[in-house]
Amino acid sequence: MTAVEEKNAGAQGEQLDPWRGFKTGDWNENINVREFIQLNYTPYEGDAEFLAGATDKTLRVWDTLEKKYLSEERRRRVYDVDTKTPADIDAFPAGYISEDDDVIVGLQTDVPLKRAMMPFGGWRMVETAIKEAGKEPDPEIKKIFTRYRKTHNDGVFDIYTPRIRAARSSHIITGLPDAYGRGRIIGDYRRLALYGADFLIAEKKAAKDAVSDQPFSEHWARFREEHAEQIKALNKLVILGDSYGLDLRRPAATAQEAVQWVYMAYLASVKSQDGAAMSIGRLSPFLDAYIERDLQEGRITETDAQEIIDALVIKLRIVRFLRTIDYDQIFSGDPYWATWSDAGLGEDGRSLVTKTSFRLLQTLRNLGPAPEPNITIFWDPKLPQGYKDFCSAISIETSSVQYESDEQIRNRWGDDAAIACCVSPMKVGKQMQFFGARVNSAKALLYAINGGRDEMSGKQVTEEGLFAPIEGEGPLDFDEVWQKYEEMLDWVIGTYVEALNIIHYCHDKYAYEAIEMALHDSDITRTMGCGIAGLSIVADSLSAIKYAKVYPVRDESGLVVDYRTEGDFPIYGNDDDRADDIAATVVHTIMSKIKAIPMYRDAIPTQSVLTITSNVVYGKATGSFPSGHEKGTPFAPGANPENGMDSHGMVASMLSVGKLDYNDALDGISLTNTITPQGLGRTKDEQVKNLVGILDSGFIMDDED
């Protein structure tokens, strides 16, 4: 046993009552994390004066990471890859950053930043990524996953239809999770801390056997098989804990253990799945209940509390997945979205801001700015002023915080919801999403004009003769273009949803997320997270066709490859109803078409307006537009106005985006704004006050919202 393991084993030896001092309720008998939180968390109305800086130990660990690992990774893109061990919850021995790494322990592999291969999703991506990292795949592992073990990717491509392949290769549908983990599943990692693995295993066994007397059906068989896999995963989680000297069979008894247990449950997930978004959920009120109890008992100090949260965030910052260069280009880097959701109001009107909400933001000072974990604040103008001011100050200092409308989320998903990825809300432990990437709604407009021919390659992507192109030299007629656009969307959306149904059927069959689903209720809500890209381009191009004169420019084959636009037209993003209504109509039209198609496992279809990272690669694959958007240039991110086209300021763009009906985009709507601190005021106090004012104004809802 290592010194670190001995220390952790000794800490557990106290055998404290894990639920001492907590108010009791239904949560003591049944899994009900939300009730535990509501009964036991302490809202905090004060300011940031109580916070502690980084300890010497924290700084030593972070310095070791920087000097030995992170600097090397930046130099060669991938620090290291294990080529012999297919990833799993218990596949690797315990690993540590340094001798000081004993506050919150656990690595994805046995060495920091070493990436594990996850071949169950697809061998081709794994092999390519290994070679791009300068290594060679193990021939025996390759043999297993190409000859004996079918992967998710193999299954998908066995089923894909010719039109799906054509749409995929032409980039009208991009980023499909057909070769990697789908993500967008938030395990309720708090359950391990509150109840321990033995309790969770017993609950899953009871749920499995509760349906044992039902007649055979596909649903019955899958229910029992999936629960068997969940039970196996929980047993592997126990083994993972044992390797670090942690008894995860029992509930956590201290604040340090509560954070450690939560992290071990999350670590099991990122050890076994490589989803595009592996969010950690909504933790602060839950963890704060343990921290406040330990502070009152004199077990820890505020410095200790901050050190524990810093240690957790260090571990979240070094999560890594084995990705190809092509994947990195799609997502403009190597993100994984370990999103931590925080703040908001409870359904009873109390603020869910706690001191740990402040401690989380403080990590951005103690460790420095970082995109991961993606800290997402559920903002409401009624949040405590001290917290709003601190959020504003940290945003100005680090540009590392994003904000969501708490009222929109709370009204539809409750007060124990969290964000998966960037903007996708779901009830923690009660809901999961079939992630669907997104369709290029802008490119679909060009296909409508060209009768299904790709404006970049000239290839006929849709079936020959299915759609007639627009003839003549123009100007384009709005009603004709809109009709053809709707017809093209029927084909694009139908192809898209068919691909998603295939992908998630195969993912459940060949790469099931057993540990994440083990931390869910047995009966859950499933959503199909569809998405669109290029909204502002569509809105502005349709506006140009409607309010100005647009003439198509054709090549020698008759393909429209450019446009000549004469006259002015309203621009989306400037609080002009003429353009904003077009954008809202596009979103509504696409969502209506998605809803009309049956979904795998009766999933509820949702839609996001989101391209925070992939807007660059979408732009590269798309031609010129009537709006003036040039061929091959990046799209604006998410629901943003076109780059450089919003001329009425930040609030006007927020008002334009606010006209999109959230009911048509329940998977989330993203608006990315950039503003320099100097643009907010001359002094720091002025900057903080003005940013709070902008956020309050942007998230105020009226009766029609």
Side-chain angles (χ1 to χ4, degrees):
M1 182 179 288
T2 68
V4 173
E5 290 170 334
E6 288 177 1
K7 178 175 180 178
N8 285 319
Q12 295 177 63
E14 297 179 62
Q15 297 299 315
L16 297 169
D17 173 10
W19 294 345
R20 67 191 183 283
F22 290 141
K23 295 178 183 177
T24 60
D26 176 69
W27 70 266
N28 296 89
E29 303 295 330
N30 302 293
I31 295 175
N32 193 339
V33 178
R34 178 188 176 275
E35 186 198 56
F36 167 82
I37 293 169
Q38 290 295 313
L39 289 173
N40 291 289
Y41 87 100
T42 304
Y44 180 65
E45 301 288 331
D47 60 23
E49 290 300 315
F50 74 94
L51 288 167
T55 65
D56 290 342
K57 178 180 287 189
T58 297
L59 294 176
R60 286 196 301 270
V61 171
W62 192 238
D63 186 59
T64 299
L65 269 172
E66 173 58 36
K67 288 180 178 177
K68 291 184 64 175
Y69 302 103
L70 292 168
S71 60
E72 276 298 299
E73 182 183 60
R74 287 193 294 270
R75 187 177 65 83
R76 60 195 193 213
R77 180 177 168 266
V78 173
Y79 177 78
D80 196 9
V81 180
D82 186 296
T83 62
K84 296 183 179 296
T85 312
D88 203 351
I89 296 167
D90 57 350
F92 292 92
Y96 302 90
I97 299 169
S98 66
E99 285 295 319
D100 286 315
D101 182 18
D102 61 357
V103 178
I104 299 298
V105 298
L107 299 176
Q108 279 178 289
T109 57
D110 56 340
V111 175
L113 306 186
K114 181 193 284 187
R115 306 187 189 214
M117 57 176 170
M118 298 187 180
F120 295 98
W123 177 255
R124 281 173 288 183
M125 176 176 274
V126 167
E127 183 172 34
T128 300
I130 288 174
K131 290 181 176 179
E132 289 174 348
K135 293 181 174 288
E136 287 297 320
D138 184 283
E140 286 302 310
I141 300 297
K142 180 176 180 178
K143 183 177 179 181
I144 291 169
F145 286 96
T146 55
R147 183 177 297 185
Y148 303 121
R149 179 56 160 85
K150 190 171 185 177
T151 68
H152 159 58
N153 185 246
D154 293 332
V156 167
F157 276 84
D158 281 349
I159 303 173
Y160 268 173
T161 62
R163 74 174 187 170
I164 294 175
R165 289 173 179 262
R168 187 180 184 275
S169 63
S170 70
H171 304 290
I172 198 165
I173 303 172
T174 299
L176 293 170
D178 51 17
Y180 60 92
R182 54 193 168 193
R184 299 286 185 91
I185 302 173
I186 306 174
D188 190 353
Y189 305 113
R190 306 165 301 185
R191 293 184 181 192
L192 182 67
L194 188 57
Y195 297 107
D198 282 352
F199 184 90
L200 299 179
I201 290 168
E203 287 287 303
K204 288 298 181 181
K205 286 180 177 177
K208 178 187 175 187
D209 292 339
V211 299
S212 59
D213 59 349
Q214 293 182 11
F216 179 86
S217 67
E218 184 178 349
H219 171 76
W220 174 88
R222 177 157 53 186
F223 184 90
R224 285 182 55 77
E225 184 180 24
E226 288 182 348
H227 276 69
E229 291 299 311
Q230 292 171 24
I231 293 165
K232 291 175 187 175
L234 288 167
N235 281 312
K236 290 180 181 179
L237 176 55
V238 170
I239 295 171
L240 172 64
D242 289 343
S243 72
Y244 285 96
L246 306 169
D247 183 10
L248 302 182
R249 299 167 185 82
R250 61 171 178 80
T254 65
Q256 184 273 338
E257 285 189 351
V259 176
Q260 179 70 76
W261 267 228
V262 166
Y263 173 63
M264 293 307 283
Y266 178 75
L267 183 61
S269 296
V270 297
K271 278 176 169 283
S272 55
Q273 289 289 332
D274 63 342
M278 298 291 285
S279 301
I280 198 167
R282 197 167 186 173
L283 304 180
S284 294
F286 176 81
L287 295 176
D288 197 77
Y290 287 86
I291 293 172
E292 284 298 306
R293 184 184 65 181
D294 277 18
L295 286 168
Q296 292 172 14
E297 291 178 349
R299 294 184 177 276
I300 60 173
T301 65
E302 180 55 42
T303 298
D304 297 324
Q306 186 64 53
E307 183 179 66
I308 291 168
I309 299 302
D310 286 346
L312 173 59
V313 169
I314 285 174
K315 292 303 172 67
L316 297 182
R317 288 193 184 188
I318 60 171
V319 170
R320 296 293 187 272
F321 297 110
L322 182 60
R323 307 292 201 195
T324 64
I325 292 173
D326 282 348
Y327 178 97
D328 290 356
Q329 290 175 346
I330 289 174
F331 292 99
S332 299
D334 188 19
Y336 56 92
W337 291 288
T339 306
W340 183 325
S341 303
D342 210 346
L345 303 177
E347 293 173 8
D348 60 2
R350 290 187 298 163
S351 164
L352 285 163
V353 171
T354 64
K355 285 188 174 181
T356 299
S357 303
F358 281 79
R359 295 178 185 117
L360 173 62
L361 292 172
Q362 178 73 354
T363 66
L364 293 168
R365 284 179 171 167
N366 289 354
L367 304 176
E372 300 293 352
N374 177 344
I375 297 176
T376 297
I377 305 303
F378 288 1
W379 188 273
D380 189 289
K382 293 187 287 293
L383 290 177
Q385 189 64 45
Y387 182 69
K388 292 197 297 182
D389 290 345
F390 192 54
C391 285
S392 178
I394 293 293
S395 289
I396 291 167
E397 291 174 23
T398 69
S399 297
S400 298
V401 184
Q402 76 165 15
Y403 298 92
E404 304 270 348
S405 169
D406 178 61
E407 189 169 357
Q408 291 276 25
I409 293 169
R410 187 176 69 252
N411 288 346
R412 290 164 175 82
W413 312 106
D415 60 9
D416 196 35
I419 297 298
C421 188
C422 304
V423 296
S424 305
M426 59 190 66
K427 296 180 179 180
V428 178
K430 300 180 180 300
Q431 179 182 341
M432 61 88 73
Q433 182 192 105
F434 295 138
F435 168 54
R438 52 201 59 86
V439 296
N440 190 333
S441 64
K443 195 176 183 75
L445 178 63
L446 302 183
Y447 274 34
I449 293 169
N450 279 313
R453 286 181 69 193
D454 190 271
E455 75 285 354
M456 301 289 279
S457 67
K459 292 181 180 179
Q460 183 68 43
V461 175
T462 65
E463 295 83 345
E464 192 75 42
L466 184 60
F467 300 103
I470 290 178
E471 304 289 350
E473 302 306 315
L476 296 175
D477 178 75
F478 177 83
D479 291 335
E480 180 185 14
V481 171
W482 179 257
Q483 179 183 345
K484 288 186 175 295
Y485 185 47
E486 279 219 63
E487 292 170 353
M488 185 57 63
L489 285 174
D490 286 332
W491 186 92
V492 173
I493 298 302
T495 304
Y496 174 47
V497 174
E498 183 176 62
L500 297 184
N501 285 336
I502 291 168
I503 287 167
H504 294 295
Y505 166 82
C506 289
H507 209 291
D508 279 347
K509 189 174 183 180
Y510 298 110
Y512 179 65
E513 300 93 339
I515 189 61
E516 290 166 272
M517 299 312 299
L519 299 169
H520 279 71
D521 292 352
S522 290
D523 293 306
I524 61 166
T525 299
R526 295 177 176 85
T527 59
M528 185 70 79
C530 304
I532 61 171
L535 175 63
S536 58
I537 300 173
V538 176
D540 289 350
S541 293
L542 289 171
S543 177
I545 294 169
K546 186 172 184 178
Y547 294 104
K549 291 185 178 181
V550 176
Y551 298 89
V553 177
R554 302 179 185 273
D555 66 10
E556 61 277 3
S557 71
L559 182 72
V560 178
V561 294
D562 204 350
Y563 299 88
R564 179 169 55 86
T565 300
E566 297 178 357
D568 296 328
F569 54 93
I571 301 295
Y572 165 73
N574 294 289
D575 195 22
D576 187 320
D577 286 345
R578 294 173 297 169
D580 298 345
D581 287 350
I582 291 174
T585 299
V586 170
V587 173
H588 178 75
T589 299
I590 292 175
M591 189 66 238
S592 297
K593 293 180 185 298
I594 291 170
K595 285 180 178 179
I597 304 172
M599 300 286 161
Y600 170 65
R601 293 187 85 164
D602 297 322
I604 300 168
T606 60
Q607 179 177 213
S608 65
V609 187
L610 169 69
T611 46
I612 286 179
T613 54
S614 53
N615 49 300
V616 175
V617 73
Y618 271 100
K620 288 181 179 179
T622 307
S624 299
F625 286 86
S627 63
H629 184 96
E630 296 181 359
K631 172 183 176 180
T633 57
F635 287 6
N640 274 50
E642 259 284 77
N643 298 320
M645 300 290 274
D646 50 328
S647 58
H648 288 60
M650 184 173 172
V651 173
S653 69
M654 295 174 79
L655 292 172
S656 287
V657 173
K659 295 172 191 175
L660 304 178
D661 190 341
Y662 185 52
N663 292 304
D664 290 326
L666 290 173
D667 196 41
I669 301 169
S670 168
L671 172 64
T672 305
N673 272 315
T674 301
I675 187 168
T676 63
Q678 293 76 17
L680 289 167
R682 286 173 291 182
T683 67
K684 184 173 180 180
D685 287 346
E686 199 173 55
Q687 292 168 2
V688 167
K689 179 181 178 181
N690 287 336
L691 182 54
V692 169
I694 289 172
L695 289 168
D696 280 347
S697 298
F699 287 117
I700 290 174
M701 293 173 58
D702 59 37
D703 293 337
E704 296 180 358
D705 285 331

